[in-house]
Amino acid sequence: FYQICAGASMLPELGPSLGLQSASEHAYSSVCTHIPGVDDAEMLQEALECMDGLGFSSDEKRSVFQLVAAVLLLGDMHFQEGNDGSLIGDAALAEKICELLQVSRDDFTRTFQYTTLEDPFNKQIINMQQDPASSSNTRHSMAKHLYSRLFDWLVWRINQSTAGNVIGSKKDAMKKIGILDIYGFEVFDWNSFEQLCINFANEKLQQHFNSHMFTMEQRLYTEEGISWSHIEWQDNREIIDSLEKKPFGLFNILDSECSMPKATDDTCLSKIHSTFKSSKVVYKTSRFKSTNFAVAHYAGEV
C-alpha cells in the first residue's frame, strides 16, 4: 500500500489510472504512514526490479498493482440508507474500483446492496437488503479476500519462475519457496475475530506437537524397551472441540449467525453463552451484562 502510494510516478503508464493519493489519505493506510529509515518509493523500485528478474509480464505487473489499488480504495467506500438496500455513497469511487477489478458496475453494486441466501428447500436464491453497517462489513471481507488471493497467486507465480525447466518425475524434487508463519498466542486489551483465529491455529499446532512429542514418542520408547520416566502433559482436545466441533463449536455458531437475516452481535453472544453455559473453556467474563466472552486457551485466558 505505502510503496504504491509513494512511487506511483514510477509506473508512468499505469500510476495515474490507479486513482491513488498519498497513504495518509486512505483509510486502510492512514494509521501509520512513515517508518524512520524506510523509503517506500525506493522499495517499490526494488519490487519492480524483482518482478522483472522473475519474468513477470507487463500484464501480470499491471494486474498486481490494480488489485492492490482496488483493495486500498475499497477501504475508502462509505454507504448510506436507500429505499431498496444500502447505497454506495461515492459513485465515482465505485466506478474507479470497478474499472480496476474489471467487473460490471451493476454486479458490484448488488454485492453491497443485498446479501444472498439459498432456500434449503427449493434452492432458490433470496436477496436480503443490507443496511450500511452490513455493506461496510461486506466491503472489508471483499478487501481481505482479494488481498489473500493475490498473496497466494504471488507465491505460486514466484515458485513457477524458480522451478526451472524440469519435467516428469523430476518436477516433484524441484526447489520451491515456502513461507512458515509461526503465530504465537495473542492477547490484547481488545481481542477481535483475528485473535480468535490465530489462537485457534496455535491450539492445533500445540496439539500436533503434543501428539508427536509425547504420545507417539513415548509409545515408541515403550515398544523399543527404552527406560524412561513417563511425562504427564495437558491435552488441549477439549479446547479445540469447543471451537471447531460440529454442530455446536464456537466457529459453527458464528457461521450459523452469519446466515441469519436478523442476526446481531447480541444474538450471537446470547447463543454462545447458552451453548457454553456449563463450559470451562468458553464462558462469560463477568456476572454483569457484557459484550465479551472469554476462551481459556492452552496458554491462558483471552
Side-chain angles (χ1 to χ4, degrees), residues 84-270:
D84 185 20
S86 65
L87 301 175
I88 297 174
D90 189 333
L93 178 61
E95 195 68 43
K96 172 55 69 175
I97 296 173
C98 290
E99 176 189 325
L100 293 170
L101 295 177
Q102 299 179 18
V103 298
S104 75
R105 176 64 187 276
D106 290 341
D107 290 341
F108 185 76
T109 300
R110 279 196 296 271
T111 299
F112 303 103
Q113 193 172 11
Y114 305 106
T115 182
T116 56
L117 300 174
E118 182 182 88
D119 188 305
F121 299 102
N122 58 26
K123 303 301 181 182
Q124 289 185 343
I125 300 299
I126 303 171
N127 290 321
M128 308 289 295
Q129 293 182 9
Q130 294 201 91
D131 58 23
S134 298
S135 297
S136 179
N137 289 334
T138 299
R139 169 266 309 274
H140 292 314
S141 296
M142 178 184 289
K144 289 181 178 180
H145 188 69
L146 286 172
Y147 196 83
S148 175
R149 291 291 297 271
L150 175 59
F151 181 87
D152 291 342
W153 180 84
L154 283 170
V155 173
W156 172 84
R157 181 63 180 81
I158 292 170
N159 282 333
Q160 289 293 109
S161 293
T162 58
N165 297 319
V166 292
I167 57 175
S169 60
K170 292 183 179 180
K171 193 169 184 178
D172 296 332
M174 68 184 181
K175 295 180 179 179
K176 299 180 181 179
I177 293 178
I179 296 177
L180 174 62
D181 187 354
I182 302 299
Y183 288 88
F185 281 92
E186 290 187 358
V187 55
F188 304 112
D189 292 334
W190 187 84
N191 300 285
S192 69
F193 180 70
E194 182 179 2
Q195 275 68 54
L196 181 64
C197 292
I198 289 173
N199 292 336
F200 170 66
N202 277 283
E203 292 290 356
K204 298 287 280 188
L205 288 171
Q206 186 66 47
Q207 183 192 48
H208 180 78
F209 175 83
N210 288 345
S211 175
H212 280 75
M213 294 304 297
F214 296 120
T215 305
M216 296 175 66
E217 284 295 317
Q218 293 190 102
R219 184 186 303 134
L220 181 62
Y221 287 2
T222 300
E223 291 173 354
E224 295 184 356
I226 298 174
S227 178
W228 56 281
S229 298
H230 185 79
I231 300 173
E232 295 293 338
W233 53 278
Q234 179 183 343
D235 188 359
N236 65 339
R237 166 51 61 185
E238 182 182 3
I239 301 171
I240 292 174
D241 286 347
S242 296
L243 296 176
E244 73 168 354
K245 190 174 181 179
K246 296 181 179 181
F248 300 117
L250 183 58
F251 286 116
N252 294 288
I253 294 175
L254 290 172
D255 283 342
S256 174
E257 281 297 282
C258 287
S259 65
M260 295 293 105
K262 295 184 179 180
T264 65
D265 289 349
D266 289 335
T267 61
C268 183
L269 188 64
S270 177

